[in-house]
């Protein structure tokens, strides 16, 4: 198994086991997010993702930075991934243009309240370069991601998406796609396996919705370093409760001997 | 999902859900087998397989036939699959030549104490034809199987193995292979998917050992109609406890919505 775990500040997530488990926060208000963070932290995921595109105060940079600090406290030592998912790739509509989003990311990077950021690889290369510089200057890991919420591209294109993320300077390359058939699920797993063997950085993948849900448990066997599971509320179709994912992973580990 | 369930005497196993769960019996003596059958039946698999190559009395046809009747009673209504796995395909050494094995199968078919028989597709075509006739005359389903305990043949060959079983008159086509890499596991799942879409009869598959163990839970999603799980003791490497398989299948069913 050449696949490698995600490291944040020099420490491998989940003690280096694949996959680590990440639970999203999708609250729309400060109070909802603080309650959600406490409830999610109690379930002890390896990573917590704040999906800031759900937050109604996203246009108020000081409020976001302050809330990041409060979520850091609520997370009780669990590292935090900061993510604005774009509308095009499955996120919520927000009242910011892309340079404003980038400025928000940079302010959050500088706050010291998060450990990693996720940004779509399809964004303007100049903005990507700026974020990479800001993330690394502050010791954060950069996830570069690709999502196809409508279908599953062919195998070669999927592998290229992982490779492109690495070329763009990602510390973690993430690909999430929607299956239209059982074959699409196998294509995503095969692409994950190939990418995990080719890339120097960890890869993360999932096939979404009910058809792809098994990849959220089995993906680690094919090199995916992280799986997203529901602590409070799902952020994408097909996410399973964290208890189910942990039970499934434990079962597979016993089985693999 | 074009895959179809196994039907025994007109009734689909597991109410038609994929995959059904089969637990093997591997006792060496009558008393061990009767105890094992009672313990396994208490775990309510959908099918019980008697691996008669483990039975030290295999050369005594009347003893085998009588014991089949006793196992029928112990199984409490759970249907029984009768299997002599050959040494070449992963079974135990036995003191019978192949025509003697065939005579044993025919006597068991006539006894009315089992519901299906498994025989390797690589056997002499004349013996295969004889068994097919005997099985069908007595209303039993015929599993024709292929096992590679050393490796995983290429995708095209795997699909041909399923197709060959159907051409030879199988009611169920089974392929079990040993993975040497994560890729082999995906190849087996892809072959299962293709075969389940091409064949008119149900297909059954698994990738063995720890590397392939996930196929024992996920195989149904790619068309495998049956998974083997441990009620008492395993009959092949990588089999999981029946409780784990049932928990994993329940998890995937909730996830698939």
């Amino acid at each position: 198994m050449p696949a490698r775990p995600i490291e944040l500040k020099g420490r491998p997530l989940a003690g280096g086991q694949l996959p680590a488990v990440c639970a999203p926060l999708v609250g729309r208000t400060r109070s909802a997010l603080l309650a959600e963070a406490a409830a999610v932290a109690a379930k002890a995921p390896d990573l917590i993702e704040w999906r800031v595109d759900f937050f109604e105060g996203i246009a108020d940079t000081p409020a976001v930075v302050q809330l990041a600090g409060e979520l850091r406290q609520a997370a009780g030592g669990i590292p935090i991934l900061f993510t604005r998912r774009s509308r095009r790739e499955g996120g919520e509509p927000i009242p910011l243009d892309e340079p404003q989003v980038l400025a928000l990311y940079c302010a959050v990077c500088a706050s010291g309240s998060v450990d990693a950021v996720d940004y779509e690889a399809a964004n303007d290369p100049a903005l990507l370069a700026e974020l990479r510089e800001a993330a690394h200057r502050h010791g954060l890991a950069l996830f570069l991601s690709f999502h196809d919420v409508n279908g599953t591209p062919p195998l070669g294109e999927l592998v290229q998406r992982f490779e492109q993320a690495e070329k763009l300077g990602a510390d973690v390359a993430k690909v999430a796609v929607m299956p239209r058939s059982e074959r699409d699920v196998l294509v995503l797993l095969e692409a994950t396996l190939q990418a995990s063997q080719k890339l120097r950085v960890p890869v993360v993948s999932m096939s979404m919705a009910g058809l792809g849900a098994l990849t959220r448990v089995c993906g680690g066997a094919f090199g995916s370093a992280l799986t997203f599971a529901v602590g409070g509320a799902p952020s994408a179709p097909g996410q399973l409760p964290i208890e189910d994912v942990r039970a499934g992973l434990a079962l597979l580990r016993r089985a693999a001997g």
Side-chain angles (χ1 to χ4, degrees), chain A:
Chain A
M1 169 64 75
R4 54 194 59 75
I6 294 166
E7 293 195 4
L8 296 181
K9 298 179 175 158
R11 291 188 53 202
L13 286 185
Q17 281 196 311
L18 254 61
V21 177
C22 180
L25 304 180
V26 296
R28 297 198 174 272
T29 65
R30 174 178 170 277
S31 61
L33 277 161
L34 291 174
E36 189 181 11
V40 164
K43 298 189 176 182
D46 303 302
L47 182 66
I48 291 176
E49 180 185 50
W50 181 16
R51 276 284 305 275
V52 72
D53 49 300
F54 282 92
F55 179 47
E56 63 185 20
I58 189 171
D60 180 350
T61 297
V64 170
V65 167
Q66 186 189 324
L67 184 47
E70 294 174 300
L71 292 175
R72 167 71 95 196
Q73 291 302 313
I78 298 169
I80 296 179
L81 169 64
F82 179 82
T83 303
R84 180 290 320 250
R85 180 67 53 239
S86 73
R87 191 94 177 89
R88 191 181 50 216
E89 301 205 14
E92 300 293 297
I94 58 170
L96 302 180
D97 64 19
E98 208 55 31
Q100 291 172 316
V101 168
L102 215 280
L104 177 68
Y105 267 89
C106 290
V108 171
C109 285
S111 75
S113 295
V114 307
D115 303 276
V117 292
D118 178 308
Y119 197 53
E120 289 107 14
N123 280 302
D124 177 345
L127 296 176
L128 270 173
E130 191 181 337
L131 177 59
R132 185 177 63 234
E133 197 279 324
H136 290 169
R137 178 154 33 95
H138 296 288
L140 275 61
L142 176 63
F143 288 49
L144 292 182
S145 57
F146 167 76
H147 306 74
D148 185 335
V149 297
N150 294 310
T152 299
L155 178 64
E157 180 182 335
L158 286 175
V159 175
Q160 282 177 349
R161 295 286 182 178
F162 285 110
E163 292 177 322
Q164 184 196 18
E166 182 174 69
K167 278 187 203 123
L168 289 168
D171 302 299
V172 178
K174 179 188 165 194
V175 168
V177 294
M178 183 65 75
R180 293 291 169 201
S181 66
E182 287 84 3
R183 171 145 309 120
D184 282 349
V185 177
L186 295 178
V187 167
L188 182 276
L189 291 174
E190 173 70 25
T192 305
L193 181 60
Q194 291 191 19
S196 72
Q197 293 172 339
K198 280 184 168 180
L199 270 60
R200 297 179 311 280
V201 300
V203 302
V204 172
S205 76
M206 58 280 304
S207 183
M208 290 185 278
L211 206 51
L214 64 89
T215 66
R216 298 184 182 274
V217 178
C218 296
F222 303 101
S224 179
L226 191 68
T227 185
F228 288 73
V230 180
S235 63
Q239 284 175 0
L240 311 177
I242 195 167
E243 297 85 352
D244 277 1
V245 168
R246 289 238 187 256
L249 295 177
L251 188 164
L252 291 183
R253 281 181 190 128
R254 284 196 303 277

